[in-house]
Amino acid sequence: MAKIYRGWIHGEKKDEEVLVGMGIKVGKWDEGLKAWEPCDVTGEQLEKLDRLWGRFIWGLEVVEVQ
């Protein structure tokens, strides 16, 4: 079963293309928080994102299991 995670991802606005290139559905950019919210991430995408911890920081929760 595939999990879908939803939440926020903090990073630099200029790095949005990195997330989109990984197939992550990024939400609206919040300049005050320096984060995109809400973001939808699959388990496979989360594995790739995990390697970028520090460049990006996130808070994601499982919202759906397919």
Side-chain angles (χ1 to χ4, degrees), residues 1-9 24-25 38-47 49 58-66:
M1 291 186 157
K3 294 180 181 178
I4 302 295
Y5 300 86
R6 182 169 292 145
W8 54 268
I9 300 176
I24 294 173
K25 182 180 173 189
C39 298
D40 289 346
V41 182
T42 66
E44 183 179 307
Q45 293 163 341
L46 186 57
E47 286 181 26
L49 185 61
W58 55 87
L60 301 166
E61 295 182 11
V62 176
V63 293
E64 186 178 328
V65 177
Q66 298 177 337

Side-chain angles (χ1 to χ4, degrees), residues 9-14 28-37:
I9 300 176
H10 170 82
E12 296 290 329
K13 175 69 172 148
K14 65 181 176 70
K28 192 172 186 177
W29 174 253
D30 183 317
E31 185 63 36
L33 296 175
K34 303 286 190 216
W36 298 271
E37 186 178 25

Side-chain angles (χ1 to χ4, degrees), residues 50-61:
D50 196 44
R51 295 181 214 141
L52 299 174
W53 182 260
R55 181 175 182 180
F56 299 103
I57 300 170
W58 55 87
L60 301 166
E61 295 182 11

